[in-house]
Structures are given as C-alpha cells and as structure tokens.
Amino acid sequence: MKLKLLKLLYKNSRLSLEEMATMLGAETKAVAAAIDEMEKEGVIRGYKAVIDWERVDNTNVSALIELKVTPKAALGFEEVAETVSKYPEVESVYLMSGGYDLTVIVKGKSFHDVAKFVAKELATMENVTSTATHFVLRRYKESDIQLCDRNSDDRGLYSL
Amino acid sequence: MNYDQLLNPEVLNIQPSGIRRFFDLAETMSEVISLGVGEPDFPTPWQIRKAGIQSLEAGKTRYTSNSGLQSLRETVADYLERKYQLTYDPLQEILITVGGSEAIDGFIRAVVAPGDEVIIPQPSYVCYEPITRLAGGVPVIIETKAEDQFKLTPEALKAAITPKTKALILPYPCNPTGAIMEKEDLEKIAKVLRGTDILVLSDEIYAELTFGGKSHVSIASLPDMKERTVVVNGFSKAFSMTGWRMGYACGPQEILAQITKIHQFAIMCAPTTSQYAAIVAMTECDEIVAEMAEEYDMRRRLIVDGFNRLGLTCRDPKGAFYAFPCIEKTGLTSEEFCQKLLESKHVAVVPGPAFGKGGEGFVRASYCYSTDHIKEALKRIGEFLEELNR
C-alpha cells in the first residue's frame, strides 16, 4: 500500500485522506498512519505545487552549474555537497557520474545575480576546481508535469 | 426524389445510437463536465506512437496482406497465448480488422442468414442489434439483471434458445454495466452450448481492464469452446489507441476464411501505420498498460464510493471503465435524469436505456477522467440531487 500511496501523493498531494483511502481500497486511519510514519522516517520530505512561473510574469532565472570538485580523503563529496546545499539560492544538488561531479541548480532574480553567486560563492569554495554555468531558457516539463501543453481534453463526443 | 422509397427499409428503420442523441444535446452547451466518453483519456503511449512514425519514415505506406501483417498476426497469437491461454494459428485463424467494430460486423455478416436468431444480452454495447438486423437476422434480447450482477445466466440462455438460434453474443467485460463473467460463470454457459450448433461471438475488447484481482477469462479457453467461438478484441481500450482503428478476430479457420472474404472486399486491409504501431503495443507496453489499469482502478473506487455516498446505489463494476449507478430512487426515468442533470448542472452521463431497455433505472458514467474531473462531476450531481429533493 505504501508504494501506491506514495505514487498517488506524488501525482496529487491535495487529495483528502478519505479520498486516498477510497482510491487505494484502504482504511482512512491506515492511510493517515502510513503518511505520518513516512513523514517521520523522512521518506516524505514535503508537499509542493508545481508552478509554471512564466505564466505569472516572473522574471526569475535559473541555471544548471557543473561543478568539478576534489574529493576529501574521508568525506568524499559529502562535505562540499552539504555546504552547497545550505545556500538559499541553491534549489537542487546532485552527485553525478561522468565528466563532472556535482550538478547545482541555482535560482536568482537575474542572469547577473546568478553569475555573481557562482563567481563569488561556488567558484571560490575550497576543493571546487571548476564551474560551468548553463542558464535555463525555457521549461517544458517539471516534476513529471508538462508545462507546454494546455492540459485540455481534446476527446470529442464521438464514442458509442 | 422520394428517398424514403428509394433507400433500404432495413437501414431506414435503424435508430441512431441513443448515446449520439444525448451527446448532440451536450454539444450545444458550454462548460459541460462530461462522464460520457467511452474513450481512454491517456494518450497512446509514446513508444507506440514512435513506432507509427518510424514506419512512415521508412516508407511503409502500402497495403498489407488482407489478413494483416504476418508479423502482427504472430504477435497477436503470442499475446493471446501469454495473456489468456488461447492458441491460434497466425496464418489461418487471425484476422486484423479496422477496430473491434469491423470484426463484430464481419462475424455477424459471415454467419447470420435471413431469419437466423442472434442472442444478445443487454444492457450492452449498441452495435450488435442493428448489425444483426442488417444481415437479415433476428435479435433475441436477454435482459440481464442487477441482482445477477448483470451476468448472463445459463437459465436465461436456455430459455432464449430456439431451433433458429445461430449465435450468442458474449459482451464481457461489459460496457456499460462493468460486469464480467468469471471462469465458473462461463463454465455454466459452455455447458448449455456444448452439443449444440450455436456459435459464440466473444467481444473481449475490455479484457485488459478487470479489477479486484480477477483476470479476464475467455470462453474460447474452455474445453470444446474454441471450435464454436470467435474472439474479438482490439487495441483501443487497453493501449489507448482508439483513433488508430485496430482490432482483430480469432477463431476456427472455417469461419475466419469467410470473414476474411468480406474484409477483403469491403476493407482491403487495416491501416498499415497502425499495424506497425500495434506490434510495439503488444510487445513493449505491459508495464504502462498495468499502470493505466491501476489508475483506472483508483478512479473506479472513487466514483463508485461517490455515487453510493450520494445515495445512488452503485455496484462494484469488475471490468471496463464505467460505473452504472441506479437512479430509480429519484423517481425520474433515466432519460429525464440525464436531461435534467445536463440542463441544470451541465454534467453529461448516458441514460441506461441507450444500451437496451433493461438499462432503464440506470445511467452510465465513464471514469476515463482525471480524479479532479470526477470529483467535480460528483459534487455537481450531489447538488442536483439536493435540489431535486427540495
């Protein structure tokens, strides 16, 4: 039940406990308990809306930064990754395989803002050997949700 | 010109589908929340669409053999064996058709001679009766009952059989009732049919959509039934491929050869692009089909629970993607209920009698819609019922 519940929440976290219980064929109490437990265990980290900010006249920009890092003997990439994660400008941090080490998604009010943050904070960080900044020009899909379509039902009333 | 005298009286006498009439009304209104459509809301899975595109890019744009691509027929044979323990020879016992609809039409035209009787359980899909009439056959209707979960009972079947009975239509999982026939139900039907010369058209278009852990069983998989059964299935519902128009008929070579002749002269072959896409559907999409079925299952629980909470008794549909709640306690006929609901709350559901007289007292609500959409429709139906009681 937990995995199905997580899938359901991932798709739409605004369903009521009763609705989720009905849809899963489970008791409301059991659903509430499972959610509680998974929140405590840190499986569920939060509930957010997926927003297409472009539609609300938002001028914020974001960028994907490739970070090359010299790993520390005992801690590997953990220390740098955790330090980077603490900045409010940083939206996501991932450890990568391949040509570089960390992907950092940074948001800011302007291109200049983001560039300044990278130059001043990330590039100067101990163990960071290089950065490459790629600005996001347009978002087409976010968290499994397509932003480019209008979400309209184009089925006609033709079926019998 | 006096067209009434010119045109075929059999055709003139056919009434357009009751669903159609109702949809035409809905289309004149704005902001209609519909639970009307019998068509999946999921788009065709991308890998299927890609296979169609690639076949076009490779220039595969000519006729295929009349029966369909051999590779597709082989794929269908493997699929039916894997899913439903049915074995068919892809060269002689499988015909690829333009949707399940063409396979139904082909079967009835191939077997029904003027005066032959065709037993049709109702409420059920709307096409069996008019096609039987066009073939000069006589539809013999069995009204299945809510207290039997709208299953076909051996008693009702026995009572309907006469020396003129040519075929039985077995439309399960059932649109609109959501009824399924489990193995033991089918055994009882098979027992009545064994030793007779009655053929069976088993319309299994919703076979992939059964719920509550009950997998679909085909009557053709029971002992001695394959020789008298033509199984009709297709890609529209399971793979969200309605517009591709892909279906198939499987059965004894002697019957299939006759259906294939009709298909050859009327159709030539099913659309080539769709045939290439269909191969990918059956070989690469198990996971995504299972995901869609799971999503339908959740919506099914939500809508059934919703109707019951509103006081409209709704049995648990075990297959297809329709709920079939009873609206008798409102004191309205199905037609009145649907019309008033549409006019006052702009919610479209389909009156039960569109699927046969036995559908009176019920309405069909499709749950091929997002949860938000279903919730909004239920909310409006709730308001409608409150206003009725005032």
Side-chain angles (χ1 to χ4, degrees):
Chain A
M1 194 266 275
K2 272 190 181 172
L3 195 64
K4 280 192 181 179
L5 175 59
L6 286 175
K7 273 195 198 165
L8 201 55
L9 281 169
Y10 183 72
K11 225 181 264 172
N12 183 358
S13 54
R14 294 199 65 195
L15 293 166
S16 72
L17 288 173
E18 288 78 13
E19 284 162 351
M20 286 188 281
T22 302
M23 290 170 78
L24 296 169
E27 294 290 321
T28 308
K29 269 189 196 162
V31 170
I35 290 178
D36 228 32
E37 196 183 318
M38 289 190 288
E39 283 175 355
K40 282 194 187 115
E41 285 169 349
V43 174
I44 298 172
R45 290 288 175 159
Y47 304 89
K48 294 175 81 168
V50 178
I51 295 163
D52 186 356
W53 288 109
E54 271 178 40
R55 288 172 203 263
V56 279
D57 193 26
N58 184 287
T59 52
N60 283 355
V61 295
S62 56
L64 182 152
I65 325 284
E66 295 174 3
L67 233 56
K68 280 189 184 165
V69 179
T70 319
K72 279 202 168 177
L75 291 163
F77 297 100
E78 297 294 297
E79 196 184 77
V80 181
E82 275 174 30
T83 310
V84 171
S85 299
K86 282 178 186 146
Y87 287 96
E89 291 90 341
V90 170
E91 197 178 276
S92 312
V93 181
Y94 309 115
L95 179 63
M96 309 301 290
S97 68
Y100 62 99
D101 305 305
L102 294 179
T103 290
V104 182
I105 313 280
V106 173
K107 57 185 189 304
K109 290 212 182 323
S110 64
F111 287 95
H112 179 73
D113 228 28
V114 172
K116 204 169 85 187
F117 173 77
V118 174
K120 271 185 74 181
E121 303 293 335
L122 296 183
T124 57
M125 206 175 276
E126 203 187 344
N127 300 319
V128 169
T129 56
S130 80
T131 66
T133 303
H134 310 275
F135 282 101
V136 173
L137 300 181
R138 186 150 184 221
R139 291 168 193 268
Y140 294 94
K141 194 174 182 182
E142 190 87 62
S143 301
D144 277 348
I145 295 175
Q146 267 186 290
L147 305 179
C148 41
D149 67 8
R150 309 265 158 211
N151 209 9
S152 68
D153 188 344
D154 63 355
R155 285 174 291 172
L157 296 169
Y158 309 120
S159 66
L160 294 179
Chain B
M1 291 181 101
N2 187 352
Y3 288 108
D4 281 347
Q5 281 185 354
L6 280 170
L7 298 171
N8 180 345
E10 273 302 344
V11 179
L12 287 174
N13 282 335
I14 290 176
Q15 295 301 309
S17 164
I19 306 178
R20 210 34 295 140
R21 200 155 36 86
F22 205 75
F23 281 172
D24 290 345
L25 181 64
E27 268 178 327
T28 63
M29 297 179 174
S30 62
E31 292 184 35
V32 170
I33 284 270
S34 174
L35 296 179
V37 186
E39 177 171 15
D41 59 326
F42 302 106
T44 307
W46 174 241
Q47 59 264 54
I48 300 175
R49 285 187 270 164
K50 204 170 71 188
I53 294 167
Q54 279 170 348
S55 80
L56 289 173
E57 281 176 346
K60 312 251 189 215
T61 56
R62 305 188 191 285
Y63 297 127
T64 68
S65 88
N66 294 137
S67 307
L69 290 168
Q70 193 181 323
S71 51
L72 173 58
R73 280 179 283 147
E74 284 165 0
T75 303
V76 170
D78 289 346
Y79 180 86
L80 291 176
E81 170 123 52
R82 177 162 70 88
K83 290 271 182 178
Y84 310 115
Q85 297 78 52
L86 296 170
T87 32
Y88 287 106
D89 173 4
L91 296 182
Q92 302 205 307
E93 298 181 320
I94 296 177
L95 170 69
I96 306 300
T97 56
V98 179
S101 302
E102 194 221 338
I104 295 166
D105 180 59
F107 170 86
I108 293 175
R109 285 208 268 167
V111 309
V112 174
D116 285 350
E117 293 180 355
V118 177
I119 299 175
I120 304 170
Q122 285 183 349
S124 64
Y125 186 55
V126 294
C127 82
Y128 313 116
E129 203 179 322
I131 293 175
T132 300
R133 286 193 198 284
L134 285 177
V138 181
V140 174
I141 307 302
I142 294 179
E143 287 185 4
T144 57
K145 304 270 177 265
E147 57 263 32
D148 299 324
Q149 287 89 48
F150 292 107
K151 290 177 179 188
L152 174 63
T153 64
E155 296 77 24
L157 175 59
K158 259 185 235 163
I161 292 173
T162 75
K164 288 183 178 168
T165 304
K166 175 58 71 69
L168 163 69
I169 310 283
L170 205 56
Y172 296 94
C174 183
N175 166 14
T177 63
I180 62 169
M181 292 286 278
E182 293 176 42
K183 194 168 182 189
E184 55 267 33
D185 304 317
L186 291 172
E187 280 289 1
K188 291 178 202 157
I189 299 303
K191 210 171 152 190
V192 176
L193 296 174
R194 283 184 194 117
T196 70
D197 277 334
I198 299 170
L199 299 170
V200 179
L201 172 74
S202 188
D203 182 352
E204 305 181 11
I205 190 79
Y206 292 101
E208 279 294 321
L209 297 170
T210 60
F211 306 108
K214 305 268 185 211
S215 298
H216 173 73
V217 178
S218 173
I219 193 164
S221 68
L222 302 186
D224 305 325
M225 292 309 290
K226 191 185 158 188
E227 63 187 45
R228 67 176 68 248
T229 303
V230 169
V231 172
V232 167
N233 204 329
F235 294 77
S236 295
K237 316 292 180 177
F239 301 100
S240 273
M241 289 178 71
T242 45
W244 299 76
R245 306 312 302 129
M246 281 299 289
Y248 50 92
C250 313
Q253 182 260 329
E254 292 79 359
I255 307 176
L256 262 284
Q258 303 313 311
I259 302 178
T260 304
K261 272 197 293 189
I262 299 170
H263 171 81
Q264 182 177 40
F265 291 121
I267 304 286
M268 280 295 285
C269 68
T272 303
T273 313
S274 304
Q275 292 192 51
Y276 281 101
I279 294 174
V280 168
M282 280 189 163
T283 50
E284 294 178 24
C285 295
D286 279 13
E287 205 173 314
I288 194 155
V289 167
E291 260 173 46
M292 290 194 281
E294 191 175 295
E295 179 72 31
Y296 285 131
D297 194 13
M298 291 198 282
R299 297 171 181 183
R300 178 182 73 97
R301 293 204 185 96
L302 188 70
I303 201 167
V304 169
D305 179 73
F307 279 124
N308 283 316
R309 273 171 202 262
L310 294 175
L312 300 178
T313 308
C314 185
R315 287 159 318 98
D316 215 18
K318 298 283 195 299
F321 38 48
Y322 310 98
F324 202 55
C326 180
I327 52 90
E328 262 170 3
K329 68 159 54 163
T330 60
L332 302 173
T333 66
S334 298
E335 190 86 18
E336 288 166 351
F337 180 94
C338 294
Q339 183 126 3
K340 287 192 170 155
L341 177 63
L342 187 57
E343 281 164 1
S344 71
K345 294 290 164 188
H346 293 203
V347 175
V349 294
V350 180
F355 307 92
K357 286 196 193 77
E360 184 51 56
F362 296 86
V363 299
R364 185 190 80 172
S366 155
Y367 50 88
C368 294
Y369 293 93
S370 71
T371 39
D372 286 342
H373 187 103
I374 292 171
K375 278 158 65 180
E376 173 65 22
L378 286 169
K379 197 185 100 195
R380 293 194 195 183
I381 294 171
E383 291 165 5
F384 171 69
L385 293 173
E386 244 169 58
E387 285 165 29
L388 270 186
N389 287 335
R390 227 170 261 162

